[in-house]
Amino acid sequence: MDFSSNLKAFTERVLTLKPKLLTEEATKNGLIMPFIQLLGYDVFNPMEVIPEFIADIGTKKGEKVDYAILQENNPIMIIECKHWQENLSVHNSQLHRYFHVTKARFGLLTNGAEYRFYTDLEESNKMDSEPFLVIDFENIKDFEINELKKFQKSNFDIDKIIDSASELKYSSAIKEILEKELNEPSEEFVRFFGKQIYSGKITAKVLEQLTNIVKKATNQSIKEIVNERLHAALKKEEETTIETEEKVEENKVLTTEEEIEGYHIVRSIVRTKIEAERVVFRDTQSYFGILVDDNNRKPICRLHLNGNKKYIGIFDENKKEERIQLNNLDEIYNFSDKLIDTVLRHLN
């Protein structure tokens, strides 16, 4: 399976096993070790993964972080584990202490279901207070899968992850600010719009009115954008479905020798008025169409030859089809004048 499929299977594992994992140790064995393996590391190889990695802090000896992932004998990521019911927000200080005494550039705080990735963007060798990436396997997003791929053993590149971490950190902060402003617009946010749309003095009363307007307008704007994208996505899906159905229909169509013979008769009749290569046939399940320039809006005639009775479909000035029974294909010559008239209408 590819990485995305493996992640999907891991998500199902998280949902299934959580109620059965009663201790932190059970959470490690049931969820966290399989997650490390998912990234391509051998949890049973001490050259790649060391459990109970020593991270002594000053004079305090015997301090250990749950796991360290190694690359060329150096730790590249340390992992602090908690029981799946634990709130991770109250435990990042512990990982913070371990981070600055190791050479690892990444710290991971996890309870098996939620994974918080940290680095030292703000100050070298000092773990940031906020994670640059948070993955909740009960609500994982597509872009998070792509970010997680970078931590795979086969893809691991510190510089690329750091660059990505910087962008993720600030984009997450911006999204958080936007979400807050959209729900409860601040005075500064309202004044930003007010200065551009209101020429008078922005009094307390005006500010109150503008606050309601800004809140409604921004939320309505976002809904419209979402609806437009949904509409575009649905339209694209519909077009794809139609194309697929057309291909399926094409695959079901069987062009017979009799239809090809009828095509050559029609082409021989009209070639006195139009170049032979411009007379094209298009076979469907319902009929065998003969067209000018392979254009459905320029039909010369239709042949219905697959039933018990055979017909030719002749078109009038309004492109209305009249079906006339044929006893044999040679009778197509009886309609030479009408076929030529039809071609001339298309040419004019």
Side-chain angles (χ1 to χ4, degrees), residues 93-295:
S93 59
Q94 189 175 5
L95 182 64
H96 186 278
R97 293 199 310 271
Y98 296 144
F99 187 89
H100 82 276
V101 296
T102 72
K103 294 181 179 180
R105 290 297 305 275
F106 303 103
L108 173 58
L109 179 62
T110 179
N111 59 12
E114 183 180 334
Y115 293 76
R116 299 185 179 185
F117 292 82
Y118 296 83
T119 189
D120 55 353
L121 294 173
E122 295 176 6
E123 189 176 338
S124 180
N125 204 34
K126 182 179 179 181
M127 193 181 87
D128 299 336
S129 58
E130 297 295 328
F132 66 87
L133 177 64
V134 178
I135 294 179
D136 180 357
F137 273 98
E138 294 185 32
N139 186 31
I140 191 167
K141 301 175 179 65
D142 288 341
F143 86 90
E144 293 171 344
I145 294 175
N146 291 328
E147 294 303 323
L148 201 52
K149 284 180 180 178
K150 297 171 185 176
F151 284 94
Q152 284 183 286
K153 179 183 175 181
S154 56
N155 296 330
F156 193 88
D157 184 312
I158 289 179
D159 293 332
K160 287 183 180 179
I161 298 176
I162 291 294
D163 289 343
S164 178
S166 178
E167 183 177 335
L168 280 170
K169 178 179 179 179
Y170 296 118
S171 63
S172 296
I174 291 170
K175 284 190 282 187
E176 189 177 329
I177 293 169
L178 276 174
E179 186 176 348
K180 186 177 179 181
E181 293 288 4
L182 290 172
N183 291 327
E184 293 297 332
S186 65
E187 181 177 329
E188 184 179 5
F189 189 70
V190 175
R191 286 185 180 276
F192 170 78
F193 292 101
K195 289 175 182 177
Q196 299 179 66
I197 62 174
Y198 187 75
S199 57
K201 183 180 180 182
I202 301 179
T203 62
K205 185 177 180 180
V206 172
L207 188 66
E208 183 180 351
Q209 291 174 333
L210 285 174
T211 299
N212 292 328
I213 294 170
V214 167
K215 186 174 182 178
K216 287 179 182 178
T218 51
N219 279 280
Q220 185 178 352
S221 178
I222 287 174
K223 286 179 183 177
E224 288 173 357
I225 291 170
V226 170
N227 286 334
E228 284 176 8
R229 291 191 177 182
L230 266 176
H231 179 72
L234 288 171
K235 186 177 180 182
K236 186 176 181 180
E237 184 179 348
E238 183 181 344
E239 289 172 352
T240 302
T241 302
I242 291 171
E243 285 178 10
T244 303
E245 289 174 350
E246 287 176 349
K247 287 179 181 178
V248 169
E249 184 176 335
E250 285 175 9
N251 291 335
K252 289 181 180 178
V253 173
L254 178 64
T255 302
T256 65
E257 290 184 10
E258 193 174 35
E259 288 170 331
I260 294 297
E261 185 182 347
Y263 162 67
H264 286 299
I265 290 173
V266 172
R267 191 168 68 159
S268 69
I269 292 170
V270 301
R271 67 184 303 171
T272 57
K273 302 298 179 183
I274 188 173
E275 297 88 340
E277 60 268 17
R278 293 180 65 185
V279 181
V280 179
F281 73 82
R282 192 182 296 185
D283 201 358
T284 72
Q285 285 185 280
S286 305
Y287 58 83
F288 182 88
I290 302 176
L291 316 167
V292 173
D293 298 331
D294 198 18
N295 189 334

